[in-house]
Coordinates of all heavy atoms in Angstrom, one line a residue:
A1 N 19.8 -9.6 0.6 CA 19.9 -8.3 1.3 C 18.6 -8.0 2.0 O 17.5 -8.4 1.5 CB 20.3 -7.2 0.4
I2 N 18.7 -7.4 3.1 CA 17.5 -7.0 3.9 C 17.3 -5.5 3.8 O 18.2 -4.8 4.0 CB 17.6 -7.5 5.4 CG1 17.7 -9.0 5.5 CG2 16.4 -6.9 6.2 CD1 17.9 -9.5 6.8
A3 N 16.1 -5.1 3.4 CA 15.7 -3.7 3.4 C 14.6 -3.5 4.3 O 13.7 -4.3 4.5 CB 15.3 -3.3 2.0
S4 N 14.6 -2.4 5.1 CA 13.5 -2.2 6.0 C 12.7 -1.0 5.5 O 13.2 -0.1 4.9 CB 14.0 -1.9 7.4 OG 14.8 -0.7 7.4
D5 N 11.4 -1.1 5.8 CA 10.5 0.0 5.4 C 9.7 0.3 6.7 O 8.6 0.0 6.8 CB 9.6 -0.5 4.3 CG 8.6 0.6 3.9 OD1 8.8 1.8 4.2 OD2 7.6 0.2 3.2
P6 N 10.4 1.0 7.7 CA 9.7 1.2 9.0 C 8.6 2.3 8.9 O 8.8 3.3 8.2 CB 10.8 1.6 9.9 CG 11.8 2.3 9.0 CD 11.7 1.6 7.7
H7 N 7.5 2.0 9.6 CA 6.5 3.0 9.8 C 6.4 3.2 11.3 O 5.7 2.4 11.9 CB 5.1 2.6 9.2 CG 5.2 2.5 7.7 ND1 5.8 1.5 7.0 CD2 4.6 3.2 6.8 CE1 5.7 1.6 5.7 NE2 5.0 2.7 5.5
V8 N 7.1 4.1 11.8 CA 7.1 4.3 13.3 C 6.3 5.5 13.7 O 6.5 6.6 13.1 CB 8.6 4.4 13.8 CG1 8.6 4.6 15.3 CG2 9.4 3.2 13.3
A9 N 5.4 5.3 14.6 CA 4.6 6.4 15.1 C 5.5 7.5 15.7 O 6.4 7.1 16.6 CB 3.6 5.9 16.1
K10 N 5.4 8.7 15.4 CA 6.2 9.8 15.9 C 5.6 10.6 17.0 O 6.2 11.4 17.6 CB 6.7 10.7 14.7 CG 7.5 10.0 13.7 CD 7.9 11.0 12.6 CE 8.9 10.4 11.6 NZ 8.3 9.4 10.8
S11 N 4.3 10.3 17.3 CA 3.7 11.0 18.3 C 2.7 10.1 19.0 O 2.5 9.0 18.6 CB 2.9 12.3 17.8 OG 1.9 11.9 17.0
N12 N 2.1 10.6 20.0 CA 1.2 9.7 20.8 C -0.1 9.4 20.0 O -0.8 10.2 19.5 CB 0.7 10.5 22.1 CG -0.1 9.7 23.0 OD1 -0.5 8.6 22.7 ND2 -0.3 10.3 24.2
C13 N -0.3 8.0 19.8 CA -1.5 7.6 19.1 C -2.4 6.9 20.0 O -3.2 6.1 19.5 CB -1.1 6.8 17.8 SG -0.3 5.2 18.2
L14 N -2.4 7.2 21.2 CA -3.4 6.6 22.2 C -4.8 7.2 21.8 O -4.9 8.4 21.5 CB -3.1 7.0 23.6 CG -1.8 6.3 24.2 CD1 -1.5 6.9 25.5 CD2 -1.9 4.8 24.3
S15 N -5.8 6.4 21.9 CA -7.1 6.8 21.5 C -7.8 7.7 22.5 O -8.8 8.4 22.3 CB -8.0 5.6 21.2 OG -8.2 4.8 22.4
K16 N -7.3 7.7 23.7 CA -7.9 8.5 24.8 C -6.8 9.2 25.6 O -5.7 8.7 25.6 CB -8.8 7.7 25.7 CG -8.0 6.5 26.3 CD -9.0 5.6 27.0 CE -8.4 4.3 27.5 NZ -7.9 3.4 26.4
P17 N -7.0 10.4 26.1 CA -6.0 11.0 26.9 C -5.6 10.2 28.1 O -6.5 9.6 28.8 CB -6.6 12.4 27.3 CG -8.0 12.3 26.8 CD -8.3 11.1 26.1
T18 N -4.3 10.2 28.5 CA -3.9 9.5 29.6 C -3.1 10.4 30.5 O -1.9 10.7 30.3 CB -3.0 8.3 29.2 OG1 -2.0 8.7 28.4 CG2 -3.8 7.2 28.5
P19 N -3.7 10.9 31.6 CA -3.0 11.9 32.5 C -1.8 11.3 33.1 O -0.8 11.9 33.2 CB -4.0 12.2 33.5 CG -5.2 11.3 33.4 CD -5.0 10.6 32.0
S20 N -1.8 10.0 33.5 CA -0.6 9.4 34.0 C -0.5 8.0 33.5 O -1.5 7.2 33.6 CB -0.7 9.3 35.6 OG -1.7 8.5 36.0
L21 N 0.6 7.7 32.8 CA 0.7 6.4 32.2 C 1.2 5.4 33.3 O 2.2 5.7 33.9 CB 1.7 6.4 31.0 CG 1.2 7.1 29.8 CD1 2.3 7.2 28.8 CD2 0.0 6.5 29.2
T22 N 0.6 4.3 33.4 CA 1.0 3.2 34.3 C 1.2 2.0 33.5 O 0.6 1.9 32.4 CB 0.0 3.0 35.5 OG1 -1.2 2.6 34.9 CG2 -0.1 4.2 36.3
G23 N 1.9 1.0 34.0 CA 2.1 -0.2 33.2 C 3.4 -0.1 32.5 O 4.4 0.5 32.9
H24 N 3.5 -0.8 31.4 CA 4.7 -0.9 30.6 C 4.4 -1.1 29.1 O 3.3 -1.3 28.7 CB 5.6 -2.0 31.1 CG 5.0 -3.4 30.9 ND1 4.1 -3.9 31.8 CD2 5.2 -4.3 29.9 CE1 3.7 -5.1 31.4 NE2 4.3 -5.4 30.2
I25 N 5.5 -0.9 28.3 CA 5.3 -1.1 26.9 C 5.9 -2.5 26.5 O 7.0 -2.8 26.9 CB 6.1 0.0 26.1 CG1 5.6 1.4 26.4 CG2 6.0 -0.3 24.6 CD1 4.1 1.6 26.0
E26 N 5.1 -3.3 25.8 CA 5.5 -4.6 25.4 C 5.6 -4.6 23.9 O 4.7 -4.2 23.2 CB 4.5 -5.6 25.8 CG 4.8 -7.0 25.5 CD 3.7 -8.0 26.1 OE1 3.5 -8.0 27.3 OE2 3.1 -8.7 25.3
L27 N 6.8 -5.1 23.3 CA 7.0 -5.3 21.9 C 6.6 -6.7 21.6 O 7.1 -7.6 22.3 CB 8.4 -5.0 21.5 CG 8.9 -3.5 21.7 CD1 10.3 -3.4 21.3 CD2 8.0 -2.5 21.0
R28 N 5.8 -6.9 20.6 CA 5.4 -8.3 20.2 C 5.1 -8.3 18.7 O 5.0 -7.3 18.1 CB 4.2 -8.8 21.0 CG 3.0 -7.9 20.8 CD 1.8 -8.6 21.5 NE 0.6 -7.8 21.4 CZ -0.2 -7.6 20.4 NH1 0.1 -8.2 19.3 NH2 -1.2 -6.9 20.4
L29 N 5.1 -9.5 18.2 CA 4.7 -9.7 16.8 C 3.2 -9.2 16.6 O 2.4 -9.5 17.5 CB 4.8 -11.1 16.3 CG 6.2 -11.7 16.2 CD1 6.2 -13.2 15.9 CD2 7.0 -10.9 15.2
A30 N 3.0 -8.6 15.5 CA 1.6 -8.1 15.2 C 0.7 -9.3 14.7 O 1.3 -10.3 14.2 CB 1.6 -7.0 14.1
T31 N -0.5 -9.2 15.0 CA -1.5 -10.2 14.5 C -2.6 -9.5 13.7 O -2.6 -8.3 13.7 CB -2.2 -10.9 15.7 OG1 -3.0 -9.9 16.4 CG2 -1.2 -11.6 16.6
R32 N -3.4 -10.3 13.0 CA -4.4 -9.7 12.2 C -5.4 -8.8 13.0 O -5.9 -7.8 12.5 CB -5.1 -10.8 11.4 CG -6.1 -10.3 10.4 CD -6.7 -11.4 9.6 NE -7.7 -10.8 8.7 CZ -8.1 -11.4 7.6 NH1 -7.6 -12.5 7.2 NH2 -8.9 -10.8 6.8
T33 N -5.6 -9.2 14.2 CA -6.6 -8.4 15.0 C -6.0 -7.1 15.4 O -6.7 -6.2 15.9 CB -7.0 -9.2 16.3 OG1 -5.8 -9.5 17.1 CG2 -7.7 -10.5 15.9
D34 N -4.7 -6.9 15.2 CA -4.1 -5.6 15.5 C -4.2 -4.6 14.4 O -4.0 -3.4 14.6 CB -2.5 -5.8 15.8 CG -2.2 -6.5 17.0 OD1 -3.0 -6.4 18.0 OD2 -1.3 -7.3 17.0
V35 N -4.7 -5.0 13.2 CA -4.8 -4.1 12.1 C -5.6 -2.9 12.3 O -5.1 -1.8 12.0 CB -5.3 -4.9 10.8 CG1 -5.6 -4.0 9.7 CG2 -4.2 -5.9 10.4
P36 N -6.7 -2.9 12.9 CA -7.4 -1.6 13.2 C -6.6 -0.7 14.1 O -6.6 0.5 13.8 CB -8.7 -2.1 13.9 CG -9.0 -3.5 13.4 CD -7.6 -4.1 13.3
S37 N -5.9 -1.2 15.0 CA -5.1 -0.3 15.9 C -3.9 0.2 15.2 O -3.5 1.4 15.4 CB -4.6 -1.1 17.1 OG -5.7 -1.5 17.9
I38 N -3.3 -0.6 14.3 CA -2.2 -0.1 13.5 C -2.7 1.0 12.5 O -2.0 2.0 12.4 CB -1.6 -1.3 12.7 CG1 -0.9 -2.3 13.6 CG2 -0.6 -0.8 11.6 CD1 -0.5 -3.6 13.0
Q39 N -3.9 0.8 11.9 CA -4.4 1.9 11.1 C -4.7 3.1 11.9 O -4.4 4.2 11.4 CB -5.7 1.4 10.4 CG -5.5 0.5 9.3 CD -6.9 0.1 8.6 OE1 -7.7 -0.5 9.2 NE2 -7.0 0.6 7.4
R40 N -5.2 3.0 13.1 CA -5.4 4.2 13.9 C -4.1 4.9 14.2 O -4.1 6.2 14.1 CB -6.1 3.8 15.2 CG -6.5 5.0 16.1 CD -7.1 4.5 17.4 NE -6.4 3.4 18.1 CZ -5.2 3.4 18.7 NH1 -4.5 4.5 18.7 NH2 -4.7 2.3 19.2
C41 N -3.1 4.2 14.5 CA -1.8 4.9 14.7 C -1.3 5.6 13.5 O -0.8 6.7 13.5 CB -0.7 3.8 15.2 SG -0.9 3.3 16.9
N42 N -1.5 4.9 12.4 CA -1.0 5.5 11.1 C -1.8 6.8 10.8 O -1.2 7.8 10.4 CB -1.2 4.4 10.0 CG -0.8 5.0 8.6 OD1 -1.6 5.6 8.0 ND2 0.4 4.7 8.2
L43 N -3.1 6.7 10.9 CA -3.9 7.9 10.7 C -3.6 9.1 11.6 O -3.6 10.2 11.2 CB -5.4 7.6 10.8 CG -6.0 6.7 9.7 CD1 -7.4 6.2 10.0 CD2 -6.0 7.5 8.4
A44 N -3.2 8.8 12.9 CA -2.9 9.8 13.9 C -1.6 10.4 13.7 O -1.3 11.5 14.1 CB -3.0 9.2 15.3
T45 N -0.6 9.7 13.0 CA 0.8 10.2 13.1 C 1.5 10.3 11.7 O 2.5 11.0 11.7 CB 1.6 9.3 13.9 OG1 1.6 8.0 13.4 CG2 1.1 9.2 15.4
L46 N 1.0 9.7 10.7 CA 1.7 9.7 9.4 C 0.9 10.2 8.3 O -0.4 10.1 8.3 CB 2.2 8.3 9.1 CG 3.2 7.7 10.1 CD1 3.4 6.2 9.8 CD2 4.5 8.4 10.0
P47 N 1.5 10.9 7.3 CA 0.7 11.4 6.1 C 0.2 10.3 5.2 O -0.8 10.5 4.5 CB 1.7 12.4 5.4 CG 3.0 11.8 5.8 CD 2.9 11.2 7.2
E48 N 0.9 9.2 5.1 CA 0.5 8.1 4.2 C -0.6 7.3 4.9 O -0.5 7.0 6.1 CB 1.6 7.1 3.9 CG 2.9 7.8 3.4 CD 3.9 8.1 4.6 OE1 3.7 7.5 5.6 OE2 4.8 8.9 4.4
N49 N -1.6 6.9 4.1 CA -2.7 6.1 4.7 C -2.9 4.9 3.8 O -2.9 5.0 2.6 CB -4.0 6.9 4.8 CG -3.9 8.1 5.7 OD1 -3.5 7.9 6.9 ND2 -4.1 9.3 5.2
Y50 N -3.1 3.7 4.4 CA -3.2 2.5 3.7 C -4.5 1.8 4.1 O -4.9 1.9 5.2 CB -2.0 1.6 4.0 CG -0.7 2.2 3.7 CD1 0.1 2.8 4.7 CD2 -0.2 2.3 2.4 CE1 1.3 3.4 4.4 CE2 1.0 2.9 2.1 CZ 1.8 3.5 3.1 OH 3.0 4.1 2.8
S51 N -5.0 0.9 3.2 CA -6.2 0.2 3.5 C -5.8 -1.0 4.4 O -4.6 -1.4 4.6 CB -6.8 -0.4 2.2 OG -5.9 -1.4 1.7
S52 N -6.8 -1.6 5.0 CA -6.6 -2.7 5.9 C -6.0 -3.9 5.1 O -5.2 -4.7 5.7 CB -7.8 -3.2 6.6 OG -8.8 -3.5 5.7
N53 N -6.3 -4.0 3.8 CA -5.7 -5.1 3.0 C -4.2 -5.0 2.9 O -3.5 -6.0 2.8 CB -6.3 -5.1 1.6 CG -7.7 -5.6 1.6 OD1 -8.1 -6.4 2.5 ND2 -8.5 -5.2 0.6
F54 N -3.7 -3.7 2.9 CA -2.2 -3.5 2.8 C -1.6 -4.2 4.1 O -0.6 -4.9 3.9 CB -1.9 -2.0 2.8 CG -0.5 -1.7 3.0 CD1 0.4 -1.8 1.9 CD2 0.0 -1.4 4.3 CE1 1.8 -1.5 2.1 CE2 1.4 -1.1 4.5 CZ 2.3 -1.2 3.4
Y55 N -2.1 -3.9 5.2 CA -1.5 -4.5 6.5 C -1.7 -6.0 6.5 O -0.8 -6.7 6.9 CB -2.1 -3.8 7.7 CG -1.9 -2.3 7.7 CD1 -2.9 -1.4 7.4 CD2 -0.6 -1.8 8.0 CE1 -2.6 0.0 7.5 CE2 -0.4 -0.5 8.1 CZ -1.4 0.4 7.8 OH -1.1 1.8 7.8
V56 N -2.9 -6.5 6.2 CA -3.2 -7.9 6.2 C -2.2 -8.7 5.2 O -1.6 -9.7 5.6 CB -4.6 -8.2 5.9 CG1 -4.9 -9.7 5.7 CG2 -5.5 -7.7 7.0
N57 N -2.0 -8.1 4.0 CA -1.1 -8.7 3.1 C 0.3 -8.7 3.6 O 1.1 -9.6 3.4 CB -1.2 -8.1 1.7 CG -2.5 -8.4 1.0 OD1 -3.1 -9.4 1.3 ND2 -3.0 -7.5 0.2
H58 N 0.7 -7.6 4.2 CA 2.1 -7.5 4.8 C 2.3 -8.5 5.9 O 3.3 -9.2 5.9 CB 2.3 -6.1 5.4 CG 3.7 -5.8 5.6 ND1 4.4 -6.3 6.7 CD2 4.6 -5.0 5.0 CE1 5.6 -5.9 6.7 NE2 5.8 -5.1 5.7
L59 N 1.3 -8.7 6.8 CA 1.4 -9.7 7.8 C 1.5 -11.1 7.3 O 2.2 -11.9 7.8 CB 0.2 -9.6 8.8 CG 0.1 -8.3 9.7 CD1 -1.2 -8.3 10.4 CD2 1.3 -8.4 10.7
R60 N 0.8 -11.3 6.2 CA 0.8 -12.6 5.5 C 2.2 -12.9 4.9 O 2.7 -14.0 5.0 CB -0.3 -12.7 4.5 CG -0.5 -14.1 3.9 CD -1.7 -14.2 3.0 NE -2.9 -13.7 3.6 CZ -3.7 -12.8 3.0 NH1 -3.4 -12.2 1.9 NH2 -4.8 -12.4 3.7
Q61 N 2.7 -11.9 4.2 CA 4.0 -12.1 3.5 C 5.2 -12.1 4.4 O 6.2 -12.8 4.2 CB 4.1 -11.0 2.4 CG 5.3 -11.3 1.5 CD 5.1 -10.5 0.2 OE1 4.3 -9.7 0.0 NE2 6.0 -10.7 -0.7
W62 N 5.2 -11.2 5.4 CA 6.4 -11.1 6.3 C 5.9 -11.1 7.8 O 6.0 -10.1 8.5 CB 7.1 -9.8 6.1 CG 7.7 -9.7 4.7 CD1 8.8 -10.4 4.2 CD2 7.2 -8.9 3.7 NE1 9.0 -10.0 2.9 CE2 8.1 -9.1 2.5 CE3 6.2 -7.9 3.5 CZ2 7.9 -8.4 1.3 CZ3 6.0 -7.3 2.3 CH2 6.9 -7.5 1.2
P63 N 5.4 -12.3 8.3 CA 4.8 -12.3 9.6 C 5.7 -12.0 10.7 O 5.4 -11.6 11.8 CB 4.2 -13.7 9.7 CG 5.0 -14.5 8.7 CD 5.3 -13.5 7.6
D64 N 7.0 -12.4 10.5 CA 8.0 -12.2 11.6 C 8.6 -10.8 11.6 O 9.5 -10.5 12.4 CB 9.1 -13.2 11.5 CG 8.6 -14.6 11.7 OD1 7.6 -14.8 12.4 OD2 9.2 -15.6 11.2
L65 N 8.2 -9.9 10.6 CA 8.8 -8.6 10.5 C 7.8 -7.5 10.8 O 8.0 -6.3 10.4 CB 9.4 -8.4 9.1 CG 10.5 -9.3 8.8 CD1 11.0 -9.1 7.3 CD2 11.7 -9.2 9.7
A66 N 6.7 -7.8 11.4 CA 5.6 -6.8 11.8 C 5.5 -6.8 13.3 O 5.1 -7.8 13.9 CB 4.3 -7.2 11.1
L67 N 5.9 -5.7 13.9 CA 5.9 -5.6 15.4 C 4.9 -4.5 15.8 O 4.8 -3.5 15.1 CB 7.3 -5.3 15.9 CG 8.4 -6.2 15.5 CD1 9.8 -5.7 15.9 CD2 8.2 -7.6 16.2
V68 N 4.4 -4.7 17.0 CA 3.6 -3.6 17.6 C 4.2 -3.3 19.0 O 4.7 -4.2 19.6 CB 2.1 -4.0 17.7 CG1 1.4 -4.0 16.4 CG2 1.9 -5.2 18.5
A69 N 4.0 -2.1 19.4 CA 4.3 -1.7 20.8 C 3.0 -1.5 21.5 O 2.1 -0.7 21.1 CB 5.1 -0.4 20.8
E70 N 2.8 -2.3 22.5 CA 1.5 -2.3 23.2 C 1.7 -1.8 24.6 O 2.5 -2.2 25.4 CB 0.9 -3.7 23.3 CG -0.4 -3.8 23.9 CD -1.0 -5.2 23.8 OE1 -0.3 -6.2 23.7 OE2 -2.3 -5.3 23.9
H71 N 0.8 -0.8 25.0 CA 0.8 -0.2 26.3 C 0.0 -1.2 27.2 O -1.2 -1.3 27.0 CB 0.2 1.2 26.4 CG 0.1 1.7 27.7 ND1 -1.0 2.4 28.2 CD2 1.0 1.7 28.8 CE1 -0.8 2.8 29.4 NE2 0.4 2.4 29.8
V72 N 0.7 -1.9 28.1 CA 0.1 -2.9 28.9 C -0.2 -2.3 30.3 O 0.7 -1.9 31.0 CB 1.0 -4.2 29.1 CG1 0.3 -5.2 30.0 CG2 1.3 -4.8 27.7
V73 N -1.5 -2.2 30.6 CA -1.9 -1.5 31.9 C -2.2 -2.6 32.9 O -2.6 -3.7 32.6 CB -3.1 -0.6 31.7 CG1 -2.8 0.6 30.7 CG2 -4.3 -1.3 31.1
P74 N -1.9 -2.2 34.2 CA -2.2 -3.2 35.3 C -3.7 -3.5 35.3 O -4.6 -2.6 35.2 CB -1.9 -2.4 36.5 CG -0.9 -1.4 36.1 CD -1.3 -1.0 34.7
G75 N -4.1 -4.8 35.3 CA -5.5 -5.2 35.3 C -6.1 -5.2 33.9 O -7.3 -5.5 33.8
G76 N -5.3 -4.7 32.9 CA -5.9 -4.6 31.6 C -5.8 -5.9 30.8 O -5.1 -6.9 31.2
G77 N -6.4 -5.9 29.7 CA -6.3 -7.1 28.8 C -6.5 -6.6 27.4 O -6.9 -5.5 27.2
K78 N -6.2 -7.5 26.5 CA -6.5 -7.2 25.1 C -8.0 -7.2 24.9 O -8.7 -8.1 25.3 CB -5.8 -8.2 24.2 CG -5.8 -7.9 22.7 CD -4.9 -8.7 21.9 CE -4.9 -8.2 20.5 NZ -4.0 -8.9 19.7
R79 N -8.5 -6.2 24.2 CA -9.9 -6.1 24.0 C -10.4 -7.1 23.0 O -9.8 -7.3 21.9 CB -10.2 -4.7 23.5 CG -11.7 -4.5 23.3 CD -12.1 -3.1 23.1 NE -13.5 -3.0 22.8 CZ -14.1 -2.2 21.9 NH1 -13.3 -1.4 21.2 NH2 -15.3 -2.3 21.8
N80 N -11.4 -7.9 23.4 CA -12.0 -8.8 22.5 C -13.1 -8.1 21.6 O -14.0 -7.5 22.2 CB -12.7 -9.9 23.3 CG -13.3 -11.0 22.5 OD1 -13.6 -10.8 21.3 ND2 -13.6 -12.2 23.1
P81 N -12.9 -8.1 20.3 CA -13.8 -7.3 19.5 C -15.2 -7.9 19.5 O -16.1 -7.2 19.0 CB -13.2 -7.4 18.1 CG -12.3 -8.6 18.1 CD -11.8 -8.8 19.5
F82 N -15.4 -9.1 20.0 CA -16.7 -9.7 20.0 C -17.5 -9.4 21.3 O -18.6 -9.9 21.5 CB -16.7 -11.2 19.7 CG -16.0 -11.4 18.4 CD1 -14.8 -11.9 18.3 CD2 -16.7 -11.1 17.2 CE1 -14.2 -12.1 17.0 CE2 -16.1 -11.4 15.9 CZ -14.9 -11.9 15.9
E83 N -16.8 -8.8 22.3 CA -17.5 -8.5 23.5 C -17.9 -7.0 23.6 O -17.3 -6.2 22.9 CB -16.5 -8.8 24.7 CG -16.2 -10.2 24.9 CD -15.3 -10.5 26.1 OE1 -14.8 -9.5 26.7 OE2 -15.0 -11.6 26.4
S84 N -18.9 -6.7 24.4 CA -19.2 -5.3 24.5 C -18.1 -4.5 25.2 O -17.4 -5.1 26.1 CB -20.6 -5.1 25.2 OG -20.5 -5.7 26.5
Y85 N -18.0 -3.3 24.9 CA -16.9 -2.4 25.4 C -17.3 -2.0 26.9 O -18.5 -1.6 27.1 CB -16.7 -1.2 24.6 CG -15.7 -0.3 25.1 CD1 -14.3 -0.6 25.1 CD2 -16.0 0.9 25.6 CE1 -13.3 0.2 25.5 CE2 -15.0 1.8 26.1 CZ -13.7 1.4 26.1 OH -12.8 2.3 26.5
D86 N -16.4 -2.1 27.8 CA -16.6 -1.7 29.2 C -15.6 -0.6 29.4 O -14.4 -0.9 29.7 CB -16.4 -2.9 30.1 CG -16.7 -2.5 31.6 OD1 -16.9 -1.3 31.9 OD2 -16.6 -3.4 32.4
A87 N -16.0 0.7 29.4 CA -15.1 1.8 29.6 C -14.5 1.8 31.0 O -13.4 2.5 31.2 CB -15.8 3.1 29.3
S88 N -15.1 1.2 32.0 CA -14.5 1.2 33.3 C -13.4 0.2 33.5 O -12.6 0.3 34.4 CB -15.6 0.9 34.3 OG -16.1 -0.5 34.2
K89 N -13.2 -0.7 32.5 CA -12.1 -1.7 32.6 C -10.9 -1.2 31.9 O -11.0 -0.8 30.7 CB -12.6 -3.0 32.0 CG -11.5 -4.1 32.1 CD -12.0 -5.4 31.5 CE -10.9 -6.4 31.5 NZ -11.1 -7.5 30.5
P90 N -9.7 -1.2 32.5 CA -8.5 -0.8 31.8 C -8.3 -1.7 30.5 O -8.5 -2.9 30.6 CB -7.4 -0.9 32.8 CG -8.0 -1.4 34.1 CD -9.4 -1.7 33.8
Q91 N -7.8 -1.1 29.5 CA -7.6 -1.8 28.2 C -6.1 -1.6 27.8 O -5.6 -0.5 27.8 CB -8.5 -1.3 27.1 CG -10.0 -1.4 27.4 CD -10.5 -2.8 27.3 OE1 -10.0 -3.6 26.5 NE2 -11.4 -3.2 28.2
N92 N -5.5 -2.7 27.3 CA -4.2 -2.5 26.7 C -4.5 -1.9 25.3 O -5.5 -2.0 24.8 CB -3.6 -3.9 26.5 CG -3.2 -4.5 27.8 OD1 -3.2 -3.9 28.9 ND2 -2.8 -5.8 27.7
E93 N -3.4 -1.1 24.9 CA -3.6 -0.4 23.6 C -2.3 -0.4 22.8 O -1.3 -0.2 23.3 CB -4.1 1.0 24.0 CG -4.5 1.8 22.8 CD -5.3 3.1 23.2 OE1 -5.3 3.4 24.4 OE2 -5.8 3.7 22.3
I94 N -2.5 -0.5 21.5 CA -1.3 -0.4 20.6 C -1.0 1.1 20.5 O -1.8 1.9 20.1 CB -1.7 -1.0 19.2 CG1 -2.1 -2.4 19.3 CG2 -0.5 -0.8 18.2 CD1 -1.1 -3.4 19.9
V95 N 0.3 1.4 20.7 CA 0.8 2.8 20.7 C 1.8 3.0 19.6 O 2.3 4.1 19.4 CB 1.3 3.2 22.1 CG1 0.2 3.2 23.1 CG2 2.5 2.4 22.5
G96 N 2.2 2.0 18.9 CA 3.2 2.1 17.8 C 3.3 0.8 17.1 O 2.9 -0.2 17.5
Y97 N 4.0 0.9 15.9 CA 4.2 -0.3 15.1 C 5.4 -0.1 14.2 O 5.8 1.0 13.9 CB 3.0 -0.7 14.3 CG 2.6 0.2 13.2 CD1 3.0 0.0 11.9 CD2 1.9 1.4 13.4 CE1 2.7 0.8 10.9 CE2 1.6 2.3 12.4 CZ 2.0 2.0 11.1 OH 1.7 2.8 10.1
V98 N 6.0 -1.2 13.8 CA 7.0 -1.2 12.8 C 6.7 -2.3 11.8 O 6.4 -3.5 12.2 CB 8.4 -1.5 13.4 CG1 9.5 -1.6 12.4 CG2 8.8 -0.5 14.4
L99 N 6.8 -2.0 10.5 CA 6.7 -3.0 9.4 C 8.0 -3.1 8.7 O 8.6 -2.1 8.3 CB 5.6 -2.6 8.4 CG 4.2 -2.4 9.0 CD1 3.3 -1.9 7.8 CD2 3.7 -3.7 9.6
G100 N 8.5 -4.3 8.6 CA 9.7 -4.6 7.9 C 9.4 -5.5 6.7 O 8.4 -6.1 6.7
K101 N 10.3 -5.5 5.7 CA 10.1 -6.5 4.6 C 11.5 -6.8 4.1 O 12.5 -6.1 4.3 CB 9.3 -5.8 3.5 CG 9.8 -4.7 2.8 CD 8.9 -4.2 1.7 CE 9.5 -3.0 1.0 NZ 8.5 -2.6 -0.1
V102 N 11.5 -7.9 3.4 CA 12.8 -8.4 2.8 C 12.6 -8.4 1.3 O 11.6 -8.8 0.7 CB 13.0 -9.9 3.2 CG1 14.3 -10.5 2.5 CG2 13.2 -10.0 4.7
E103 N 13.6 -7.8 0.6 CA 13.6 -7.7 -0.8 C 14.8 -8.4 -1.4 O 15.9 -8.3 -0.8 CB 13.6 -6.2 -1.3 CG 12.3 -5.4 -0.9 CD 12.4 -4.0 -1.3 OE1 13.5 -3.4 -1.5 OE2 11.3 -3.3 -1.3
E104 N 14.6 -8.9 -2.6 CA 15.7 -9.6 -3.3 C 16.7 -8.5 -3.8 O 16.2 -7.5 -4.3 CB 15.2 -10.4 -4.4 CG 14.3 -11.6 -4.0 CD 15.1 -12.7 -3.2 OE1 16.3 -12.9 -3.6 OE2 14.5 -13.2 -2.3
A105 N 18.0 -8.8 -3.7 CA 19.0 -7.9 -4.3 C 19.0 -8.1 -5.8 O 18.9 -9.2 -6.3 CB 20.3 -8.2 -3.7
S106 N 19.1 -6.9 -6.5 CA 19.1 -7.1 -8.0 C 20.4 -6.8 -8.5 O 21.3 -6.2 -8.0 CB 18.0 -6.2 -8.6 OG 18.1 -4.9 -8.1

């Protein structure tokens, strides 16, 4: 049996105000580098808070059941955490996520 445990952002978890949204939303599998953005969405929208280890372990155990919704902006790209931040360059941003899991039927 499959059981889902969705954590879906219920409000805007963008880190900066966006007067006009351009681009599109892309759903994709989450990666370990998405964990800080997933935590930010969780803190902004949900009462439960989890450590980064919770998300990393979840991604390790159910890698195909962790999805993120990414706001993809024209000319933007995924931010490289090892490069200095350039506020003038558009950045793609995680705006929501879903975590699923599979449990054995008892």
